[in-house]
Amino acid sequence: YHNDLFYLTGTRLAPKEKLDIPVSFMPETMKMYEAVVVIHVMRENGENWPYEDSAELNEDLKSSVTVAENGGIQGILWIYPVHGIPEAPQQKLVPAVVRCRARQRIERRVEVLLTGVVPGVPATRNSAIVNTNKPANIQEEVQVTDGFSTTVEFLYELQYQSNEIKSQLGALVGMDLIQRERDTESGIVTLIFNIVFAPNKPMRNKATLVVQCTTGGVWKFPMLFIATEPEVDDVINIEAVGLNKESIVGFKLTSQTR
């Protein structure tokens, strides 16, 4: 946000009328910026709003009104805090593909590169996503909370295109942040996630890995989850007992749920 103060004066509002206040945001670094929008309303005729005990206003009311010297309320204040959270430019990144046969389980390591994490270091390189099949043998203590999973510096979650897809994939996909690295020269941060995918039926769904730095800044990376046809359970052989005669074979099916 601009550091200068801008005043919109002389604007007349009729009763029930609406006022639009434009706010522009042009961040230079990937950190959160804070500002407040203050609206000061006074009567057009210059008179005060009567208030009997204006000298003894409670603390909550003092912050939202201006009191005249001769008593009464001269103006009313509305204060709106604004948080500006920069988001990395959307780029045509190749999705990280996690592929698994239905009714099986697979683990994949996914690397993402975050630019401009360090305040004052511009994002000179594009963010990127790398899908690797190396075993996830790096252990690091991380803290987990409901909703977003959090570490010391980053929040992350998987977002889906619809609630229906979320209900399908939510219980089938697990994600953990297992390693964080920072390049001191470029300021680029590398996050390595371990993705677990255990589909129960064939599917093909897109998702977005959203990473947010606790100091501000959001990065989004596309992902694609593919579940292929499962292996054949068994082969049923039916031998004919003769022409135009029935042959019957019995087999059992066990339900995985009630």
Side-chain angles (χ1 to χ4, degrees):
Y1 299 101
H2 297 289
N3 293 326
D4 301 328
L5 296 177
F6 295 92
Y7 294 93
L8 184 63
T9 58
T11 302
R12 300 173 60 187
L13 287 178
K16 306 292 185 179
E17 187 177 354
K18 295 182 179 180
L19 173 65
D20 293 329
I21 300 178
V23 177
S24 63
F25 180 45
M26 191 168 55
E28 296 180 352
T29 58
M30 294 293 286
K31 68 176 183 179
M32 186 175 71
Y33 296 80
E34 297 182 68
V36 290
V37 176
V38 180
I39 302 172
H40 190 199
V41 175
M42 295 177 290
R43 281 185 169 182
E44 186 179 13
N45 57 12
E47 296 181 359
N48 299 331
W49 282 282
Y51 190 83
E52 295 180 359
D53 299 324
S54 58
E56 299 179 359
L57 293 174
N58 60 58
E59 293 299 325
D60 294 335
L61 196 57
K62 282 183 178 180
S63 61
S64 58
V65 300
T66 54
V67 180
E69 294 181 357
N70 57 355
I73 296 177
Q74 185 180 25
I76 303 175
L77 292 171
W78 282 270
I79 302 175
Y80 298 93
V82 180
H83 288 179
I85 301 177
E87 182 175 319
Q90 294 295 317
Q91 305 155 23
K92 295 182 179 180
L93 301 177
V94 178
V97 179
V98 181
R99 188 189 303 269
C100 180
R101 296 190 81 165
R103 299 202 307 242
Q104 293 186 5
R105 180 181 182 275
I106 196 171
E107 292 191 27
R108 286 288 182 267
R109 281 178 54 181
V110 174
E111 283 187 14
V112 297
L113 305 182
L114 311 180
T115 59
V117 176
V118 181
V121 178
T124 55
R125 291 175 53 185
N126 293 334
S127 300
I129 185 168
V130 180
N131 192 8
T132 174
N133 297 335
K134 295 179 181 179
N137 55 6
I138 301 175
Q139 297 182 355
E140 181 176 341
E141 184 178 354
V142 295
Q143 301 173 353
V144 178
T145 59
D146 294 336
F148 269 105
S149 299
T150 179
T151 65
V152 177
E153 296 180 353
F154 298 98
L155 307 170
Y156 58 91
E157 69 170 351
L158 279 175
Q159 293 181 353
Y160 305 97
Q161 292 179 314
S162 66
N163 290 332
E164 182 181 356
I165 296 177
K166 182 178 180 179
S167 64
Q168 292 178 3
L169 281 179
L172 308 177
V173 177
M175 180 177 60
D176 289 305
L177 177 60
I178 59 174
Q179 186 176 2
R180 294 171 289 128
E181 296 178 355
R182 186 197 299 272
D183 189 322
T184 55
E185 294 184 1
S186 64
I188 296 177
V189 172
T190 301
L191 301 183
I192 301 178
F193 294 91
N194 184 49
I195 307 292
V196 178
F197 185 35
N200 54 7
K201 62 181 180 181
M203 65 178 67
R204 183 187 182 94
N205 288 317
K206 296 179 180 179
T208 301
L209 171 57
V210 180
V211 180
Q212 180 175 353
C213 186
T214 53
T215 59
V218 176
W219 296 261
K220 296 182 179 181
F221 304 95
M223 299 194 67
L224 179 60
F225 292 91
I226 301 175
T228 56
E229 292 290 337
E231 293 182 357
V232 175
D233 294 287
D234 201 355
V235 178
I236 301 173
N237 294 317
I238 304 177
E239 294 185 3
V241 296
L243 293 175
N244 297 321
K245 294 183 179 180
E246 286 186 353
S247 296
I248 299 176
V249 171
F251 57 94
K252 295 182 178 181
L253 296 178
T254 303
S255 175
Q256 296 182 358
T257 64
R258 290 181 179 272

